[in-house]
Amino acid sequence: MENKDSEHNGHRLARAESHDSQTASEFINSQLQLEADAREALPYAFDHCTQPLGPLRQNLFSCLTCNPPPKSTSDPYTPAGVCYSCSIACHGEHELVELFNRRNFTCDCGTTRLPATSPCTLRLDPVTGIKGPVHSQPAAGGNTYNQNFRNRFCGCKELYDAHTEKGTMFQCLGLAGESEGGCGEDWWHPECILGHGRNRPRTKKTESSPKPSPVSTHESLGNGSDPTPNQREEEEDHGDEELPPGFPAEDDFETFVCYKCVDANPWIKRYASSTGFLPPVLKTEEKTLEGHPKLGDNRSGHGTTTTAATHEDTVHDAPNGSADGTYAGTNSIMSPRANPLKRRAEDDEESHDLTRPKKTKIEANQNCYYESLPQPGNKTVSLFLKEDFRDHFCRCANCYPNLRKHPQLLEEEESYEPPLSEEEENGRGSVGTGSLLDRGEAALNNVDRVRAIEGVMVYNHLKDKVKSFLQPFAESGQAVGAEDIKAYFEKLRGDEQAIKSAAMAGSEPGNEDNRREQSAAHSSSKDPRSLNLSWHPGCIIAANMARQMVRAFQLSAALLAPVAVALGSASYNGLAKTPPMGWAYGCDIDADTLLETAEIMVDFGLRDLGYKYVILDDCWQNMQRSPNGSLVANATNFPDGIKAVSDQIHDMGFMFGMYSSAGMYTCAQYPASLGHETIDAQTFADWGVDYLKYDNCYNQGQEGTSKLSFDRYNTMSQALNKTGRPIHYGMCNWGKDYPWNWAQTMANSWRMSGDVYDSFDRPDDRCPCTTYDCELPGFHCSIMNIIGKMAPVVDKGQPGAWNDLDMLEVGNGGMTDDEYKVHFSMWAMIKSPLIMGTNIPKMTASTYSILANPAVIAISQDSAGTPAVRVWNRAADLDDYDQGSISLWVMALSGGDYAIALLNAGNTDLQMNATLQEIFIDKATTAGGVTRGPLPSSKGWDIYDLWANRMDDTMASSILHGNATVTGGMMNTTNSRMLYNATETPYADGVKQNKTALLGVKISSVDAMGTIQAMVPRHGIAMYRLRAQEGASMSKRDEL
């Protein structure tokens, strides 16, 4: 509880400026020490308000600058409490009262309880979606307030002064608010609990010192100043203050309930002196003080202090007199039992846990334990509760309702703690965490030697420049100002070529080590045009020196960000060079089901076909976050936690995926990640997550423009990157705000439509859009609806960044076999992720033979990364839903091959034709209409049917029923054409080796300028790979 000021920092700066000279090294060391001091004073991050977390037990502050209380306690007052982060970021220069932990409280910063002139800079504006400044928002209705918010404490209602207060104060468990006659978790002086008043000095302590009161501590959060000598003397004096006579020893109780809260809940008074509770502490008047025994007069053998009451001063009226002195007649107080040592020993003998007494369990049909306790008297008392008090409440049907009103009596409360500030305790972190220096060192330890050498070269270059900049200031004794730093880095930004040259120096042939060991994937780094300077760990290490200066003079870190310019890459995080494949399932799943399904996927050969991701979709969460704000798994479904599941998934050779949403809640109304991106991203990384599906439900209206959606989703993108763990980032914003135009730089895939459902072409009002630019994507979108919307934007997909058409419905029972073939084929042609959404253990033979077709999967996984283009789309016979069309789709493949799909969405079987001129229309002309040559249509092509090798139901059933097993992905059958092991031989290599399983069956050829003709069933597809022939032939029609 402190008045915050910057006086101490001013003293530090004055001392630094008083030096006659200072080397660059000394300056940096001094700034490092300043940073260490600041981190010790402010150990937690303060960049997020806790308001989005809802009611929490958390550390609170009352701002007396914004809400000065009236002098009279009877005058009206509007109190407000702000969280730790807001106390620093929004009220750091104000006079604050630290209230410590309060339960069920939502931060008031930015609400009508505080003046609009003091807005919250950490909240997201509900209209713009931008962080701060926010003010005049409705305050949470469930918050409760007491006199502490006025800086008044205890029953004496004294104003608290941290510089004069001595001794220890204790916080009541708070069973009633002030409006109910209780204290509302007030802090109490021991003498006031006894009713002695504050004018009685405490005696000096001669033995062990009591624990210092949190309220009397000078190191209030947010104040980094060292204590003055007088303060140190006062703090030392705190330990010499003895507790008043009649007050229990601190080690004997865990918490207490003040007499106000006891009077508001008289039923609890009956537990006094029972197991788990100390004898009652009587509130007396000042005049009775002389009658109290001194501390230690009535101590048990364990050092437990008795109450300060006499036999004549009744608290309990015992129902029966006791010959052994347990109750001293009808007018006795409830004194300690005759032999507390014996009672404690008996308790221990009954307990199998020597650290905690055996829990008292009273069921509804048993005798009521509470009724066996003596009746309390009418005296005003406070109760002191031992550590195990919760184990000894009666929980019968009659007593439990009293407990249920006060959850703190049933379970130990956990208090929210903000995330620690960026530097970890060990001083080292993963890439993207910790200080800039740590990030650079971690980066150097996690990259190949080539990039590491380049990074060191960049570091050396920048280091020398920063030293040169500091030297004149060090020699002259002149202080380095913020404007000096800003001007210098503006100049340094223009030195990009020198930085590139420094990195290039390590790449020249004559340098140390044979750099030909560099992989082909990194060979492009020798080209300055592809050098990503912002990635270099050398850049990061060098920038650390500047960071110390910036921190010292409170200069925004944004000045350093543009020192190096990122020039882009094929994938923003190096992942998803081909569309991801896997299996996902959400609600109604538990750890056992997830792991069993993964095992079956291995047995069925699906993992080695490329289905690498096992993704846990919605409903895995607990309904509440943990006290520190992190997501928590449902303990019933995931008793060992998510990390244990993730580890086992990885052990099977899979990648592990999870789900959250860029909103307040997930679509199933579980806690989501909007406003929690940093902590959730780190949680996912700690759990070993490799894929994040990030949905769009309950997004607080933060959509409607591309900028709003980009910022909301980019926050999680950056948070994932900062964890240092490679995580596929799958946006699921349903095509809102046209993600294909902006998501490539921050996501690996994005949903481009509302949710798919298991129908081929049935229209549904819940999916009203039929074009890509509709503002209401909806859900229940059919396969043909999604394909139609996808056609105009297919070219937006690229390696590392894919249009996502949603999960595969194959096998869920709503379509015919031909329709499922269309579904699977077109998802592969358009380069959508192939994420199975069916019940794997229960899949049928026909479902398996579609999903396990390696010839179609090879099209999806082709390294060229070019999505298919719809060449034409024509009307056809209408079906029962008045839908019908036919279309030609063409895709360029690696190695000069092509894939085509003749899609018949009409109501009858059709003979479909496609000429080579149509197939190669994009090759025929340039943008200006100039003819190219030679044209692909001028030569002959071999035609391979990609469905001709489809596994028959007999073989598929044998695999599914274990009669022809796939062990480790290897098929135990002579027909190797039917299955493929991409783990052993990647698809790109298999195509080069002309693997029949990947090429399909050669069924015919077409000569130059010819026509391909095929009979395509209703709601069906013909899908072919075209491979160029050697030489040319006459033009002709080729019927298939």
Side-chain angles (χ1 to χ4, degrees), residues 86 95 148 189 271 307 351 361 418 435 540-541 561 688 796 846 937 949 971 1023 1038:
C86 290
E95 182 181 3
N148 297 167
H189 302 108
Y271 283 101
T307 62
S351 175
K361 296 182 179 180
S435 69
I540 297 172
I541 296 173
K796 301 295 186 177
S846 61
S937 56
N949 258 346
M971 184 78 174
M1023 189 176 182
D1038 200 306

Side-chain angles (χ1 to χ4, degrees), residues 548-671:
Q548 311 311 324
M549 295 185 289
V550 171
R551 283 204 173 194
F553 296 97
Q554 300 180 339
L555 185 66
S556 170
L559 293 173
L560 303 180
V563 170
V565 180
L567 301 180
S569 61
S571 172
Y572 91 104
N573 59 3
L575 302 177
K577 295 302 179 63
T578 59
M581 299 174 60
W583 171 78
Y585 216 80
C587 298
D588 301 324
I589 193 169
D590 55 24
D592 290 341
T593 304
L594 196 73
L595 295 172
E596 289 168 3
T597 301
E599 292 175 354
I600 292 172
M601 289 174 66
V602 175
D603 293 340
F604 289 176
L606 294 171
R607 179 197 64 188
D608 292 321
L609 272 167
Y611 294 100
K612 294 289 188 181
Y613 288 101
V614 174
I615 303 168
L616 181 58
D617 212 297
D618 205 350
C619 304
W620 60 266
Q621 308 94 319
N622 196 348
M623 293 302 295
Q624 298 292 331
R625 289 176 174 265
S626 72
N628 72 354
S630 61
L631 291 168
V632 180
N634 183 305
T636 301
N637 293 339
F638 302 93
D640 297 324
I642 298 297
K643 183 63 166 62
V645 174
S646 173
D647 289 343
Q648 294 179 71
I649 293 292
H650 289 145
D651 290 344
M652 295 183 211
F654 290 102
M655 310 288 273
F656 179 58
M658 292 195 72
Y659 168 98
S660 189
S661 180
M664 290 294 292
Y665 308 103
T666 69
C667 295
Q669 299 184 339
Y670 289 86

Side-chain angles (χ1 to χ4, degrees), residues 854-926:
V856 175
I857 295 174
I859 300 300
S860 163
Q861 301 299 296
D862 185 81
S863 59
T866 305
V869 175
R870 188 170 68 182
V871 176
W872 48 256
N873 184 48
R874 299 166 182 164
D877 293 340
L878 301 182
D879 60 17
D880 293 340
Y881 301 123
D882 291 329
Q883 305 293 309
S885 64
I886 58 173
S887 55
L888 168 65
W889 295 75
V890 178
M891 173 197 289
L893 301 173
S894 59
D897 290 357
Y898 283 80
I900 69 168
L902 292 166
L903 171 55
N904 176 15
N907 197 39
T908 59
D909 297 350
L910 290 175
Q911 178 176 287
M912 295 181 64
N913 303 321
T915 67
L916 291 184
Q917 291 98 320
E918 291 171 328
I919 292 171
F920 300 118
I921 186 70
D922 283 350
K923 297 293 184 181
T925 59
T926 65

Side-chain angles (χ1 to χ4, degrees), residues 252-470:
D252 291 344
F253 66 94
E254 175 73 14
T255 185
F256 92 104
V257 181
C258 74
Y259 55 80
K260 289 186 177 181
C261 290
V262 170
D263 287 347
N265 295 272
W267 60 269
I268 199 172
K269 186 187 297 187
R270 197 164 177 176
Y271 283 101
S273 294
S274 66
T275 306
F277 299 80
L278 296 182
V281 172
L282 187 66
K283 177 180 180 291
T284 64
E285 300 299 331
E286 179 73 20
K287 63 183 180 181
T288 65
L289 182 60
E290 299 301 326
H292 280 272
K294 293 183 179 180
L295 186 67
D297 285 355
N298 288 312
R299 285 183 179 268
S300 69
H302 283 303
T304 302
T305 306
T306 68
T307 62
T310 64
H311 283 260
E312 289 77 21
D313 210 355
T314 62
V315 175
H316 283 268
D317 295 327
N320 296 301
S322 176
D324 63 5
T326 302
Y327 308 110
T330 57
N331 291 323
S332 86
I333 66 161
M334 181 115 175
S335 61
R337 299 177 189 268
N339 191 343
L341 176 61
K342 178 180 179 181
R343 182 195 67 194
R344 182 170 294 181
E346 289 171 350
D347 289 344
D348 290 344
E349 289 173 1
E350 293 176 355
S351 175
H352 297 288
D353 181 355
L354 298 181
T355 63
R356 295 181 68 86
K358 186 175 180 180
K359 184 173 181 178
T360 304
K361 296 182 179 180
I362 307 295
E363 302 296 338
N365 60 351
Q366 290 180 307
N367 294 330
C368 177
Y369 167 67
Y370 181 79
E371 291 298 329
S372 68
L373 300 175
Q375 288 288 343
N378 57 2
K379 298 295 183 181
T380 300
V381 299
S382 298
L383 294 189
F384 286 77
L385 289 60
K386 298 181 181 180
E387 183 179 3
D388 63 343
F389 73 92
R390 294 180 178 88
D391 295 339
H392 303 290
F393 282 116
C394 178
R395 286 173 167 80
C396 73
N398 292 328
C399 295
Y400 187 75
N402 286 329
L403 299 175
R404 187 170 55 191
K405 297 175 184 177
H406 309 286
Q408 65 267 39
L409 297 179
L410 293 171
E411 294 183 6
E412 185 174 355
E413 296 177 288
E414 294 187 37
S415 298
Y416 169 81
E417 288 188 2
L420 291 173
S421 58
E422 64 179 10
E423 184 168 347
E424 298 181 5
E425 292 182 1
N426 59 6
R428 298 182 63 85
S430 61
V431 179
T433 62
S435 69
L436 290 174
L437 178 62
D438 298 333
R439 297 183 195 181
E441 292 175 347
L444 286 172
N445 290 330
N446 287 281
V447 300
D448 70 287
R449 299 173 63 220
V450 174
R451 295 290 279 172
I453 293 171
E454 291 175 356
V456 171
M457 303 297 278
V458 171
Y459 163 70
N460 288 333
H461 175 78
L462 292 180
K463 178 185 68 175
D464 293 338
K465 284 188 168 291
V466 174
K467 281 184 176 179
S468 299
F469 164 67
L470 285 173

